[in-house]
């Protein structure tokens, strides 16, 4: 198989910890230098917290893997400093088609309204995003990535975690205040702590293949139920950068892994889909079965699980990688606050309270998509066929067609960190909601609202009263004073009132008018206080 991406090998370097007479202590160690672990390390570095990342490999992920980067992830990447780079390289798409056989059932547009900096999705191979995160982490110069460092032992203590790490030079020991397990679905940390990973594994096998080809097909998501080129299964086609196209084919429960992965067996399937005269090269391929599983809880004393180490879903819906990015967005600022003494240890408990419901929603949507694509019994198959029969001519039925409910921002509806809203609940965003972007003007320059929130607590004042405020101890961004709502979209999305925004750009509280004491109380509450 040809390779369209030039993989860089990150060198193993012996660290001073390996020569220490006693285990060296670190505030935070991240196990896993993949998408989620690297994003967490960058987030911590932006807050000035040095993180040690250890990974048993020495390059970014092999194959495109998680390719659909959702709008919310792009907004988080903007805060981390790689958003522009991702969008410039990625393939932007908002539209898609769902087909049955060779006939169009319906088309959809994920972002029909204007006034958003980022598109609904881009397609970008995971290895690109990881390489950008490595570059950003190195650029910040806070923390250290250690390649070819494999964790072989994890021991919990009351006030620290002890690790044994194997390297080409032999093993060494370190300790840390907090251990972040970002080491994927086969998490070595999870196995070391003997934690059950509960859920469901589905029987159907799916062939995933990246092909390099020149094509004028539109940039959109295409999903087929029972196409003529692949009878009895489903198929998915997506475009990626570098003229790489992602193809997913459902093979059923009886597929032979070894046989199906042979190139001489993959090629006939691809030619049936793309045409017998199609010219392409295979860039990468894999055979997988769906899993929808998670840990009972994501915090285990001083070990915190993120991404696939905490929860895993099927790839349809793009909820795996995007869910992991939202994990680190939720966790990093809380751990920073605990480490710098501005919040109690109990703040970390809210990671479970907010991210477990989000994981459950992703698992629910992923399970439903899988059951629709691969019905478990005759009743479910009958339901699917009835829905597909109706969907071509009756729009109401299209809501029941499930080729993967695509990733959306999580709303922390019942967050223990939120303060009840005293503003008009009929407009704007309630506490727990992620911030919404809008085009604004600052000092005559067109810009975007989210770019001015940063990664700290801040106030968004949407009241057109011109009032001067007592210093609340945080950045205040006021309409009419600090920015102009040139297109009226900020007011349309936020209404009136004053928003207390968390460092992860979720709403902590909303007030009808400025009250410095109430704002400070809400901030203390958002930091785990009472």
């Amino acid at each position: 198989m040809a390779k369209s991406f030039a993989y860089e090998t990150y060198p193993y370097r012996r660290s001073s910890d390996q020569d220490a007479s006693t285990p060296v202590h670190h505030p935070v160690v991240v196990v896993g230098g993949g998408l989620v672990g690297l994003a967490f390390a960058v987030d911590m570095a932006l807050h000035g917290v040095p993180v040690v990342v250890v990974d048993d490999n020495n390059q970014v992920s092999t194959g495109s893997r998680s390719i659909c980067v959702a709008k919310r992830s792009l907004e988080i990447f903007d805060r981390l400093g790689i958003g522009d780079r991702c969008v410039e390289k990625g393939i932007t798409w908002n539209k898609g088609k769902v087909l049955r056989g060779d006939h169009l059932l319906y088309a959809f547009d994920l972002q029909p309204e204007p006034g958003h900096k980022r598109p609904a999705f881009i397609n970008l191979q995971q290895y690109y995003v990881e390489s950008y995160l490595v570059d950003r982490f190195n650029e910040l110069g806070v923390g250290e990535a250690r390649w070819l460092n494999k964790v072989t032992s994890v021991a919990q203590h009351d006030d620290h975690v002890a690790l044994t790490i194997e390297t080409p030079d032999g093993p060494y020991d370190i300790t840390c205040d907090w251990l972040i397990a970002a080491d994927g679905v086969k998490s070595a940390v999870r196995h070391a702590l003997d934690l059950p990973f509960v859920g469901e594994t589905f029987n159907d096998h799916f062939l995933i293949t990246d092909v390099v080809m020149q094509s004028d097909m539109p940039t959109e998501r295409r999903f087929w139920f029972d196409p003529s080129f692949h009878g009895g299964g489903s198929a998915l086609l997506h475009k990626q950068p570098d003229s790489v196209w992602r193809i997913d084919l459902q093979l059923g429960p009886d597929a032979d892994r070894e046989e199906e992965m042979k190139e001489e067996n993959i090629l006939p399937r691809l030619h049936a889909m793309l045409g017998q005269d199609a010219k392409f090269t295979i860039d990468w391929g894999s055979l997988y079965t769906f899993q929808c599983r998670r840990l009972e809880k994501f915090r285990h004393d001083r070990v915190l699980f993120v991404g696939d180490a905490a929860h895993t879903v099927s790839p349809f819906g793009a909820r795996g990688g995007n869910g992991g990015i939202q994990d680190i967005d939720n966790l990093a600022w809380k751990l920073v606050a605990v480490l710098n003494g501005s919040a109690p240890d109990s703040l970390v408990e809210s990671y479970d309270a907010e991210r477990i419901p989000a994981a459950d929603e992703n698992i629910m949507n992923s399970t439903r998509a899988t059951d629709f694509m691969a019905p478990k019994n005759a009743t479910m198959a009958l339901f699917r066929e009835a829905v597909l029969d109706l969907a071509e001519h009756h729009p109401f039925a299209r809501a029941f067609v499930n080729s993967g409910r695509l990733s959306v921002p999580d709303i922390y509806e019942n967050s223990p960190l939120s303060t009840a809203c005293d503003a008009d609940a009929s407009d704007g965003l309630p506490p727990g909601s992620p911030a919404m972007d809008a085009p604004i003007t600052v000092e005559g320059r067109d810009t975007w609202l989210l770019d001015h929130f940063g990664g700290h607590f801040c106030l968004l004042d949407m009241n057109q009263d011109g009032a001067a405020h007592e210093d609340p101890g945080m950045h205040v961004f006021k309409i009419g004073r600090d920015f102009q709502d040139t297109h009226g979209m900020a007011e349309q999305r936020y209404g009136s009132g004053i928003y207390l925004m968390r460092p992860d750009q979720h709403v902590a509280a909303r007030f009808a008018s400025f009250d410095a004491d109430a704002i400070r109380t809400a901030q203390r509450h958002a930091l785990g206080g009472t």
Side-chain angles (χ1 to χ4, degrees), residues 38 65 67 88 120 163 165 170 250 254 267 275 323 423 459 461 472 476 528:
L38 289 169
R65 301 192 182 273
I67 66 167
E88 287 165 6
L163 303 172
I165 299 173
Q250 180 184 0
D254 300 322
L267 286 173
L459 290 180
D461 186 347
V476 180

Side-chain angles (χ1 to χ4, degrees), residues 133-400:
L133 287 166
V134 171
D135 290 346
R136 180 63 170 150
F137 187 57
N138 291 336
E139 174 190 304
L140 291 169
V142 180
E144 176 187 2
R146 299 179 183 176
W147 307 103
L148 297 180
N149 276 238
K150 181 180 180 179
V151 172
T152 58
S153 173
V154 180
Q156 291 254 39
H157 300 272
D158 289 343
D159 60 351
H160 71 277
V161 182
L163 303 172
T164 299
I165 299 173
E166 184 65 49
T167 76
D169 289 334
Y172 70 102
D173 296 323
I174 58 174
T175 62
C176 59
D177 293 320
W178 297 93
L179 179 66
I180 309 301
D183 51 345
V185 68
K186 297 179 180 179
S187 173
V189 176
R190 195 178 64 235
H191 286 294
L193 298 180
D194 195 25
L195 300 174
F197 204 43
V198 179
E200 183 176 4
T201 299
F202 297 86
N203 293 324
D204 272 54
H205 292 80
F206 286 76
L207 175 67
I208 181 172
T209 312
D210 285 348
V211 301
V212 179
M213 67 176 181
Q214 300 299 321
S215 174
D216 58 1
M217 287 186 289
T219 302
E220 61 187 13
R221 182 185 195 262
R222 289 192 188 182
F223 189 96
W224 290 263
F225 291 100
D226 197 19
S228 61
F229 58 80
H230 188 63
S234 62
L236 175 69
L237 179 68
H238 255 216
K239 186 179 182 180
Q240 305 173 65
D242 306 328
S243 299
V244 177
W245 294 78
R246 160 70 61 83
I247 296 171
D248 280 88
L249 297 172
Q250 180 184 0
L251 301 184
D254 300 322
D256 184 303
R257 175 176 293 273
E258 185 174 338
E259 286 298 312
E260 292 293 350
M261 284 305 299
K262 292 180 179 177
E263 189 163 326
E264 62 264 30
N265 293 325
I266 294 175
L267 286 173
R269 296 187 184 280
L270 298 180
H271 278 294
M273 180 180 189
L274 302 173
Q276 293 303 319
D277 297 328
K279 299 186 184 303
F280 58 83
T281 56
I282 297 176
D283 191 61
W284 172 73
S286 181
L287 197 73
Y288 64 90
T289 55
F290 289 168
Q291 294 185 60
C292 292
R293 304 164 71 188
R294 73 165 172 85
L295 287 168
E296 181 182 359
K297 58 181 183 176
F298 301 161
R299 178 186 181 180
H300 291 265
D301 298 322
R302 291 182 169 271
V303 180
L304 299 159
F305 290 83
V306 294
D308 283 351
H311 46 77
T312 185
V313 295
S314 76
F316 292 103
R319 291 173 176 267
N322 290 298
I325 294 301
Q326 291 189 58
D327 283 350
I328 67 95
D329 186 50
N330 183 281
L331 178 60
W333 70 271
K334 297 173 180 178
L335 207 55
V336 169
V338 171
L339 286 167
N340 67 24
S342 61
D345 173 271
S346 59
L347 176 61
V348 181
E349 293 295 328
S350 69
Y351 173 62
D352 269 0
E354 293 180 338
R355 292 309 299 164
I356 285 177
D360 285 343
E361 180 181 349
N362 286 334
I363 287 171
M364 176 191 70
N365 280 287
S366 182
T367 300
R368 288 177 177 175
T370 306
D371 287 342
F372 194 86
M373 283 184 269
K376 295 176 182 175
N377 54 51
T379 301
M380 296 174 72
L382 185 64
F383 170 77
R384 188 184 88 159
E385 293 310 302
V387 167
L388 294 176
D389 285 342
L390 289 167
E392 185 173 359
H393 303 292
H394 301 284
F396 83 89
R398 295 168 190 171
F400 298 97

